[in-house]
C-alpha cells in the first residue's frame, strides 16, 4: 500500500502542483538539487531491496531504520540557503 501510494504521488501530484503553480504565476520546477535527488535514489534502492523477495528479517528492518537515521541527519545539517544573503 505504501509503495503504491508513493508512486501515485510521484506520478500525479508533483506534476500537477507544477502545473498549478505555472497557472498561478509561481515559479515551481522539478529541480530538487543533488542532496534531495541522492536521498530519493537511496530510498528507492532500499525499498526495492525490501519488496523484491517478499520476505523480511531483522537485518532489513535495521537497514530501514539506518537509512531513516542517515536521511534525518543529512537534512538536519543541510544549510538553509533561503536565509543566506
Amino acid at each position: 500500500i505504501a509503495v503504491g501510494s508513493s508512486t501515485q504521488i510521484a506520478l500525479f501530484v508533483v506534476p500537477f502542483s507544477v502545473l498549478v503553480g505555472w497557472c498561478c504565476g509561481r515559479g515551481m520546477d522539478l529541480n530538487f538539487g543533488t542532496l534531495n535527488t541522492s536521498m530519493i535514489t537511496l530510498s528507492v534502492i532500499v525499498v526495492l531491496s525490501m519488496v523484491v523477495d517478499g520476505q523480511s528479517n531483522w537485518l532489513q528492518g535495521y537497514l530501514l531504520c539506518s537509512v531513516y537515521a542517515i536521511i534525518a541527519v543529512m537534512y538536519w545539517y543541510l544549510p538553509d540557503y533561503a536565509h543566506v544573503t
Side-chain angles (χ1 to χ4, degrees):
I1 292 173
V3 175
S5 64
S6 63
T7 303
Q8 289 173 352
I9 293 294
L11 292 177
F12 178 70
V13 175
V14 173
F16 180 72
S17 65
V18 170
L19 291 176
V20 169
W22 179 59
C23 291
C24 294
R26 304 281 298 199
M28 298 177 67
D29 58 359
L30 295 177
N31 184 11
F32 295 118
T34 306
L35 180 65
N36 292 337
T37 305
S38 62
M39 290 298 117
I40 289 172
T41 304
L42 178 65
S43 301
V44 167
I45 291 171
V46 169
V47 168
L48 178 66
S49 71
M50 296 297 138
V51 299
V52 75
D53 61 352
Q55 297 177 357
S56 63
N57 55 23
W58 66 271
L59 186 60
Q60 289 178 335
Y62 179 74
L63 179 64
L64 286 173
C65 292
S66 299
V67 168
Y68 183 78
I70 289 169
I71 290 173
V73 167
M74 292 294 288
Y75 281 109
W76 181 266
Y77 290 108
L78 180 69
D80 189 13
Y81 293 111
H83 297 280
V84 176
T85 57

